[in-house]
Amino acid sequence: MSSSRPAQATRVWGGTFHAIATRLLRRYGASIGLDPNFTIHDRADSEDLLNVVRTDLGLARTDKRFPKKGTCMAIYSRCVNAREKLPQVLQERFPWCDEWAEELKQLFDAYVDRKEATAALDYDDLLLYWHGLLADPTGGESLRKRFDCVLVDEYQDTNRLQAEILVQLCPEGRGLTVVGDDAQAIYSFRAATVRNILDFPKQYPGTTIVRLEQNYRSTSPILAATNEVIRFSPERYPKDLWSHRSEGERPLLVTCESEDDQTEFVVRKILEHREAGVDLRRQAVLFRASHHSILLEAELSRRNIPFHKYGGLKFIETAHVKDLMAFLRLAENPRDLVSGTRLLGFLPGIGPRKARQLMDTLIGAGGNFQVWRDWRPPAASAQRWPNLVELVHDLSRAKGDLPGQIHRVRKFYEPLVAELYDNPRPRCRDLEQIEQIASRYADRRTMLADITLDPPSSSQDLAGPPLLDDDYLVLSTIHSAKGLEWDAVYVLHAADGNIPSDMATGNSEEIEEERRLFYVALTRAKNSLVVCHPLRYYHYPTTFSDRHGYAQLTRFLPEIAKQHFHCCVTSPSDAAAPPDPQSDAAAGVISARIRQGTKGLWA
């Protein structure tokens, strides 16, 4: 390796849209009036701040049901990322909130102002300010000159705001390459739009399209079935995936008598594959919604089959980790209302109202923690209050030894963990892990931004007894399974109403995304693919009765597509034994008696 290569490598920037935006805004944000010392709020923090504003405006005290903070945040984020006006978003996505349009405008205006006052940016702001920086005549031109080439991966998952940023960064498309698969565009609920990749050649005339059709994952029979499923999509880039792996059996389409029958069949197939040498961790059960696996989870637990379900809390979203981060964020930015209110709430006798007053006092004093020293705490927290004030004051002045800073926070906070949460021991181990991770970062601000924008996924927030087994089955929603692969894949509930979801059939665009979602599920399989379709759905677990309905096979498997599957029907698990011919005579006598007795009722 030549000595010049390390220097060349430092000239390559890599990261998510939000990570690159953070890096640029730290360096150039001052040119558009942005405080370079801004803190970044994750989604939960943003919802909390929005809720503070919502409460201040008195919107929670109404005689009608005002949208909760999560819904308000979803509406706000949709407007920003999809570049859609509030009336359109309410009408198309949140019609039950339409009556609150004026109040939501007031809320969002105040939320934007509050973020400005506290030098805080949420995820959406990172993109907005990058967009604004590129739109600035001076700053935008200097940014465009920084990059000779731009490569965007998974382009089908970008939203309109991200596409506008690319247009500003590469107006003529020179040096711009995007990689993506329109057949895997499944994140419209995050404001992503398949139009970005479908309309790319229109946005940049002269675009060269390179089709990557050789598949290195699945067998040819599986690819034949999946190609047929996606072929019915009315607007797409035509492509037919092929593989040198011509061996293998056709996918299995199984009609089950009921959900219980589906569960019994899937568990049996899982164990058969395991006995054939396919470890549990090389098998996955996929479903459209998390609750679709409830019966399966119960049966796996009953049979002592270990499993891991994807879709839980991210590490940074767990309560104890957010608590520790609140100390660091407040030290970095004493105007951070959300973080300050959170850590003040740890102490007994300090409620939300008093915490807000203390934060207003701190902000009014320009972040000088001396004003907290002068406050007289309630008796319940009198012993811990001076230590808390000293801790955050020292942290605000500390510049180096980040592991040492976190160690001080841990020593103060860990005694509180047992008072605040269950399972304190695994939570404290998480905090120790953060202290170890901190040694990799040059400063506190960099670590806070990195963990917020690219959080680790593991969590012990709901840790229970340890599972001492090195093998486990994978359960996952289809959305969480994107980009992954397994030797054997089982797709549950391939029935209209589940796939496609009855919540996503409002228009043709939603239905087509559901088709792509089904396609993503099928293409996770390497060697074996099983698709299950229960006929009968009982109304439990909400009610315990024999009320039920019948389901139709998903519309995404018409007859021409079914030809690429091996179709079979399972026997009902409670099927009666075949009748004994020798008992026919006795049965006939009993039947005659029943008929005669019935006639006697009106004789």
Side-chain angles (χ1 to χ4, degrees), residues 399-502:
K399 299 301 180 184
D401 188 17
L402 186 54
Q405 295 179 42
I406 296 177
H407 184 74
R408 285 196 61 185
V409 174
R410 282 205 308 112
K411 291 304 179 184
F412 175 85
Y413 173 66
E414 283 183 351
L416 297 171
V417 174
E419 301 175 13
L420 297 170
Y421 307 110
D422 296 330
N423 303 313
R425 291 183 62 186
R427 295 175 191 271
C428 290
R429 286 197 296 269
D430 282 347
L431 304 182
E432 293 174 7
Q433 186 178 9
I434 295 177
E435 183 177 330
Q436 296 173 3
I437 292 172
S439 61
R440 307 175 188 174
Y441 293 93
D443 56 72
R444 184 172 58 210
R445 186 174 70 180
T446 303
M447 189 193 80
L448 288 172
D450 190 46
I451 288 184
T452 302
L453 296 174
D454 188 20
S457 58
S458 63
S459 167
Q460 296 296 327
D461 188 53
L462 301 177
L467 181 63
L468 302 179
D469 199 313
D470 61 351
D471 196 15
Y472 54 84
L473 178 70
V474 175
L475 309 184
S476 175
T477 63
I478 302 173
H479 283 101
S480 297
K482 184 172 176 289
L484 304 176
E485 61 183 40
W486 295 272
D487 287 358
V489 169
Y490 313 86
V491 181
L492 303 184
H493 299 289
D496 256 33
N498 293 327
I499 302 177
S501 168
D502 55 2

Side-chain angles (χ1 to χ4, degrees), residues 218-293:
S218 306
T219 62
S220 294
I222 292 177
L223 293 178
T226 57
N227 284 337
E228 196 63 46
V229 167
I230 201 63
R231 202 184 312 279
F232 287 90
S233 183
E235 189 175 8
R236 67 187 184 98
Y237 289 102
K239 52 188 177 296
D240 285 301
L241 300 184
W242 60 275
S243 171
H244 284 307
R245 301 184 61 207
S246 57
E247 78 287 352
E249 298 181 351
R250 285 186 296 169
L252 197 60
L253 177 59
V254 185
T255 300
C256 306
E257 195 270 339
S258 66
E259 292 178 89
D260 290 320
D261 195 27
Q262 173 183 250
T263 297
E264 173 66 27
F265 177 81
V266 169
V267 172
R268 187 168 67 248
K269 292 295 292 184
I270 289 169
L271 294 178
E272 287 176 1
H273 274 117
R274 180 177 177 273
E275 289 301 315
V278 183
D279 293 336
L280 291 177
R281 62 178 175 271
R282 291 160 54 196
Q283 305 183 56
V285 181
L286 307 183
F287 32 85
R288 174 63 177 84
S290 182
H291 66 272
H292 287 169
S293 66

